[in-house]
């Protein structure tokens, strides 16, 4: 997707509109997903750094340095990465919805929302890339056994 910052609602193509409306639908889905995950495990499991709890993350990093992958555990590296991915998803969908609302209402500040949205989407892209890399690491370790 690429929409320039100076584009108006009249410059949007059908694909742009499909992207915007499907993004709003994704916002609703991601909110339900976020609530479901939070009901499954407490916030302190996925965001231990909010309370300054780095003990389990440090232990997981020591395991990682030995060439092994740490097992998922509360407040550990895996749970923290899951939490960061959820935050990136929520941030990208909320900023995209804000931009869509501003753009469709011909708000002169819509380009600011678009810039923030593009930055937020970069976090989701980084998460997906990291997720893929760790999946490959799991396969490599499994094959070596």
């Amino acid at each position: 997707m690429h929409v320039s910052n100076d584009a108006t609602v009249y410059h949007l193509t059908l694909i742009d509109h499909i992207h915007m409306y499907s993004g709003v639908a994704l916002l609703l889905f991601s909110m339900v997903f976020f609530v479901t995950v939070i009901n499954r495990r407490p916030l302190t499991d996925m965001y231990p750094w909010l309370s300054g709890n780095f003990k389990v993350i440090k232990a997981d990093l020591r395991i990682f340095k030995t060439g092994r992958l740490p097992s998922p555990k509360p407040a550990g590296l895996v749970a923290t990465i899951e939490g960061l991915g959820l935050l990136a998803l929520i941030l990208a969908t909320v900023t995209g919805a804000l931009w869509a609302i501003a753009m469709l209402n011909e708000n002169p500040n819509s380009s600011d929302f678009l810039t923030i949205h593009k930055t937020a989407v970069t976090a989701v892209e980084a998460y997906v890339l990291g997720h893929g890399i760790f999946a490959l690491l799991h396969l490599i370790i499994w094959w070596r056994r």
Side-chain angles (χ1 to χ4, degrees):
M1 280 306 304
H2 179 73
V3 175
S4 64
N5 284 349
D6 59 348
T8 65
V9 70
Y10 306 105
H11 293 106
L12 298 178
T13 65
L14 175 63
I15 298 296
D16 297 330
H17 282 279
I18 291 171
H19 180 92
M20 285 174 22
Y21 294 120
S22 62
V24 170
L26 180 61
L27 171 62
L28 299 174
F29 174 76
S30 64
M31 291 294 192
V32 170
F33 183 64
F34 186 80
V35 169
T36 302
V37 171
I38 294 302
N39 283 331
R40 190 184 77 207
R41 60 172 28 156
L43 284 174
T44 55
D45 282 1
M46 291 192 304
Y47 307 107
W49 42 270
L50 286 175
S51 60
N53 178 11
F54 295 98
K55 183 173 56 172
V56 182
I57 294 172
K58 287 178 181 177
D60 283 352
L61 289 174
R62 282 191 293 275
I63 291 170
F64 194 64
K65 283 181 184 178
T66 66
R68 295 179 295 129
L69 294 176
S71 60
K73 58 182 93 50
L77 188 60
V78 175
T80 301
I81 291 171
E82 179 184 9
L84 291 173
L86 279 174
L87 285 181
L89 176 65
I90 295 296
L91 184 64
T93 55
V94 167
T95 58
L98 289 173
W99 171 74
I101 292 166
M103 171 63 89
L104 294 174
N105 289 315
E106 299 180 27
N107 184 322
N109 296 324
S110 67
S111 65
D112 295 336
F113 290 116
L114 180 60
T115 301
I116 294 167
H117 174 62
K118 287 179 177 181
T119 303
V121 168
T122 302
V124 173
E125 291 169 345
Y127 179 79
V128 169
L129 178 65
H131 204 87
I133 289 169
F134 276 93
L136 289 174
L137 282 173
H138 273 284
L139 283 175
I140 290 168
I141 289 172
W142 178 71
W143 283 330
R144 288 177 64 194
R145 289 184 190 163

